[in-house]
Amino acid sequence: MKKTDLILILDFGSQFTQLIARSTRELKVYSEIHTYKLNLKKFIKEKEKSFNLRGVILSGGPSSVLSKGSPKIPKSDIDYFVKNKIPVLGICYGMQLLCSIYKGSLHESLQREYGRTKIYIFGESELFRGINSQLNVWMSHGDSTDRIPEKFTPTSKSITGVVCSFENSRQRIYGLQFHPEVKHTESGRNIIYNYLFGICGVKNLFEPESFIETRTEEIKKKAGKSKVICALSGGVDSSVAALLVSRAVGSNLTCIHIDNGLMRKNESRKVIDLFERYFKINLIFVNASGLFLKRLKGVIDPEKKRKIIGRTFIEIFEKEAKKIKDAKFLVQGTLYPDVIESINTKGPSSTIKTHHNVGGLPEKMKLKLIEPFRELFKDEVREIGKNLGLRDNFINRHPFPGPGLAIRILSDVTVEKLEILKEVDDIYITGLKEYGLYEKIWQAFAVLLPVQTVGVMGDERSYENVIGLRAVTSTDGMTADFFAFDKEFLSHISNKIINSVKGVNRVVYDISSKPPATIEWE
């Protein structure tokens, strides 16, 4: 089996590290982020059967190389890469670390350089092949290079004279003071392309077909003849995971789908039709909507809603799973951004909101995890899904929160409010598809606001609910901007909602971006 080429990204705590991985993956080059504390020998031994290590990128970070206790890697690691002709690229803090390791000198700048800066490229460098000699780039650093190490050559400077890149082409070590991975850097994608293909010589790209073949064999070997269960929400991640595991273990997989009453209109029926009737996968269906609604009665706080939904889900899932004798494995659709959060050198980020998943199940139920996509991003999982036979209209569905419509009702959850929101959501999403807008948008949804306003319906005064519409563009959900609808579309949808859904007399559109807002309202 052909090995896939791999780029190792060592994380020093930069807020942009995930963007480095995304930049390589968008070019079909497989990469993994690991903490700078990585045991290099162990990592290489684990990967050598399936991957060729082609390059190493040292990320940026908030620390100063000059500070005591700042994150560092031993020179012996760099020596290993040099000896084995594995090119090293240091970005921002990574460049400063290379400067320090090779006995250059740095100083703490009087003023931190942050934001867009013009640089001038001079001399010959494979890293800048085919790129203009003047670029606007994105800087984010507090230290600057006084003297570059011996046998290194400067290749660019900023308009203020700061060294912005250097290299030792013989040892294949390169440093960039700026961030090529952010969209604000001109030709940043070209610079990364030059590093990956020109310098590292990447050839064996990440291919969905190869991934499916490799991962199927791994799951077969891991699960053997044991029973496997999967919590099938009907979302893209769990659905694709179920199909992939089904290829590996066949009838030993049983999916459990719990209808919590908080999903979109006819969602459970669609899940049953697709997986039980079309893909012929063992499926246990549990209608628990009454229990969820009973426990949510009178609850307004979104965090409390999430916790109630999570606990109730686990309780029901655990009860159903016990009915499956000899079950030893649990399938989860964990994605790479979730994994990255746990390895960031800065420690856990502050909680904006609790995410609903089944992470607590394995410890309670003594099940071993199968997480086939823990190295993949959402768009890569979608590609896998297409190769496994899922239709585009399913694969390209917008993200949907685990707590469902409960957090899109900005008050207590009732049957009446759910019915209103389900009808509104159905009209909105159907309208996006009819106008050819759905696939241009990362995520679109409606929220039921906790206010009522005066309106005129026919000849009568009304006092009814307000609906907020949200639609954003994004690449990964980390940042987002509102979608600029034409007035014609907004007018059409607003009129259709008000005329079709009893209990609504006003529709508003959310034009805030992330940050400072989040995509969801709660």
Side-chain angles (χ1 to χ4, degrees):
M1 188 179 294
K2 183 173 70 173
K3 292 184 180 181
T4 301
D5 289 344
L6 165 68
I7 300 296
L8 170 62
I9 302 168
L10 294 179
D11 179 29
F12 292 90
S14 171
Q15 60 180 319
F16 301 134
T17 302
Q18 189 173 148
L19 296 181
I20 301 174
R22 284 209 62 86
S23 296
T24 69
R25 297 286 187 91
E26 286 169 2
L27 293 167
K28 302 295 183 184
V29 177
Y30 184 78
S31 62
E32 288 187 10
I33 299 172
H34 290 271
T35 172
Y36 71 94
K37 299 175 183 177
L38 176 72
N39 183 321
L40 187 61
K41 290 182 180 179
K42 182 180 178 183
F43 172 80
I44 291 171
K45 186 175 181 180
E46 289 174 349
K47 295 294 180 180
E48 61 185 1
K49 290 183 180 179
S50 304
F51 295 95
N52 297 310
L53 181 59
R54 291 297 189 192
V56 178
I57 298 176
L58 312 180
S59 84
S63 303
S64 167
V65 172
L66 300 172
S67 299
K68 186 178 180 180
S70 59
K72 293 182 174 67
I73 57 174
K75 184 175 181 296
S76 58
D77 283 359
I78 304 296
D79 290 342
Y80 173 88
F81 301 138
V82 171
K83 179 182 177 182
N84 289 278
K85 299 182 179 179
I86 300 170
V88 178
L89 172 64
I91 295 176
C92 195
Y93 181 89
M95 170 178 162
Q96 294 163 3
L97 183 59
L98 289 171
C99 183
S100 174
I101 287 173
Y102 284 94
K103 308 302 182 184
S105 62
L106 300 157
H107 72 277
E108 184 177 350
S109 302
L110 295 175
Q111 184 174 356
R112 181 180 175 85
E113 191 170 23
Y114 183 85
R116 201 180 299 272
T117 303
K118 180 173 283 189
I119 69 166
Y120 300 92
I121 299 167
F122 48 85
E124 293 291 327
S125 173
E126 184 68 30
L127 207 55
F128 298 119
R129 183 181 294 275
I131 292 173
N132 292 335
S133 59
Q134 295 183 28
L135 292 179
N136 288 311
V137 302
W138 191 260
M139 291 284 194
S140 178
H141 66 101
D143 296 340
S144 297
T145 303
D146 283 326
R147 176 176 53 81
I148 66 172
E150 288 185 23
K151 299 181 181 179
F152 280 70
T153 303
T155 53
S156 70
K157 287 188 177 181
S158 72
I159 194 169
T160 58
V162 174
V163 174
C164 294
S165 60
F166 62 52
E167 64 184 56
N168 182 328
S169 57
R170 187 180 65 82
Q171 290 189 313
R172 307 178 85 190
I173 301 173
Y174 304 81
L176 297 174
Q177 187 58 73
F178 57 91
H179 290 272
E181 70 273 23
V182 303
K183 64 181 180 180
H184 307 293
T185 293
E186 291 178 352
S187 300
R189 182 183 176 93
N190 302 74
I191 293 170
I192 291 173
Y193 181 95
N194 286 342
Y195 171 71
L196 297 175
F197 297 100
I199 294 172
C200 297
V202 169
K203 294 179 181 177
N204 299 328
L205 303 180
F206 173 81
E207 300 291 348
E209 299 89 344
S210 177
F211 175 88
I212 291 170
E213 182 183 349
T214 302
R215 196 50 47 94
T216 299
E217 290 304 313
E218 290 175 357
I219 295 169
K220 276 183 182 178
K221 185 176 180 180
K222 182 174 184 177
K225 296 182 179 181
S226 301
K227 299 290 185 181
V228 181
I229 57 178
C230 174
L232 183 63
S233 68
V236 173
D237 306 334
S238 67
S239 298
V240 180
L243 288 182
L244 180 60
V245 174
S246 176
R247 284 174 60 104
V249 304
S251 61
N252 281 333
L253 172 68
T254 298
C255 292
I256 300 174
H257 175 67
I258 300 171
D259 182 358
N260 57 15
L262 308 171
M263 296 181 287
R264 285 176 165 153
K265 185 178 179 180
N266 298 325
E267 185 77 6
S268 285
R269 180 174 58 78
K270 294 174 183 176
V271 171
I272 293 169
D273 286 344
L274 183 63
F275 288 92
E276 189 174 53
R277 297 172 187 168
Y278 183 75
F279 286 113
K280 309 297 183 185
I281 292 176
N282 298 328
L283 178 66
I284 295 174
F285 170 66
V286 183
N287 186 350
S289 55
L291 179 59
F292 279 90
L293 286 172
K294 180 181 178 181
R295 293 184 176 179
L296 287 169
K297 186 177 180 179
V299 178
I300 296 174
D301 181 79
E303 275 298 290
K304 287 184 180 178
K305 289 179 183 178
R306 284 186 170 86
K307 288 173 181 176
I308 289 169
I309 293 166
R311 285 196 301 267
T312 305
F313 176 87
I314 289 173
E315 178 186 320
I316 296 168
F317 186 86
E318 184 178 16
K319 180 181 177 182
E320 294 300 323
K322 284 180 179 177
K323 298 176 183 177
I324 304 170
K325 293 183 179 180
D326 302 320
K328 293 184 179 179
F329 293 91
L330 172 70
V331 179
Q332 286 192 173
T334 309
L335 299 187
Y336 201 35
D338 303 319
V339 177
I340 292 171
E341 284 293 320
S342 68
I343 62 170
N344 195 294
T345 60
K346 295 179 289 186
S349 56
S350 60
T351 300
I352 296 174
K353 57 189 176 185
T354 302
H355 289 274
H356 172 57
N357 55 45
V358 291
L361 287 171
E363 183 178 346
K364 290 184 68 178
M365 299 170 61
K366 298 180 180 179
L367 294 173
K368 297 178 182 178
L369 280 178
I370 294 177
E371 297 174 300
F373 306 136
R374 61 181 285 114
E375 301 95 357
L376 303 187
F377 288 97
K378 188 88 171 186
D379 51 344
E380 293 168 327
V381 173
R382 287 190 167 119
E383 284 296 314
I384 300 297
K386 289 178 184 179
N387 279 268
L388 290 172
L390 279 173
R391 297 185 295 271
D392 284 352
N393 63 349
F394 185 92
I395 281 294
N396 295 327
R397 290 195 305 171
H398 295 172
F400 188 71
L405 300 181
I407 58 166
R408 292 178 179 173
I409 295 174
L410 309 190
S411 59
D412 61 320
V413 181
T414 66
V415 172
E416 293 75 22
K417 291 176 184 178
L418 280 168
E419 288 305 311
I420 289 173
L421 192 53
K422 285 181 181 182
E423 291 300 323
V424 169
D425 177 83
D426 188 58
I427 291 171
Y428 185 29
I429 298 302
T430 300
L432 290 172
K433 292 175 180 178
E434 289 174 348
Y435 274 70
L437 298 171
Y438 187 81
E439 293 192 11
K440 296 179 181 179
I441 294 168
W442 166 266
Q443 189 173 5
F445 57 91
V447 293
L448 180 61
L449 302 182
V451 293
Q452 292 183 315
T453 64
V454 174
V456 179
M457 307 289 279
D459 295 325
E460 297 181 1
R461 177 181 182 275
S462 67
Y463 192 64
E464 295 180 338
N465 296 289
V466 181
I467 289 291
L469 300 182
R470 180 83 158 131
V472 298
T473 56
S474 181
T475 55
D476 50 23
M478 295 178 67
T479 61
D481 200 2
F482 69 90
F483 187 81
F485 286 119
D486 289 337
K487 180 181 177 182
E488 176 194 349
F489 175 80
L490 287 175
S491 178
H492 165 74
I493 289 297
S494 174
N495 288 335
K496 190 162 186 179
I497 289 171
I498 292 170
N499 291 332
S500 303
V501 184
K502 188 177 180 180
V504 177
N505 70 355
R506 192 178 298 269
V507 175
V508 298
Y509 183 56
D510 180 353
I511 59 169
S512 52
S513 298
K514 176 186 178 180
T518 55
I519 294 177
E520 295 282 350
W521 279 44
E522 290 190 341

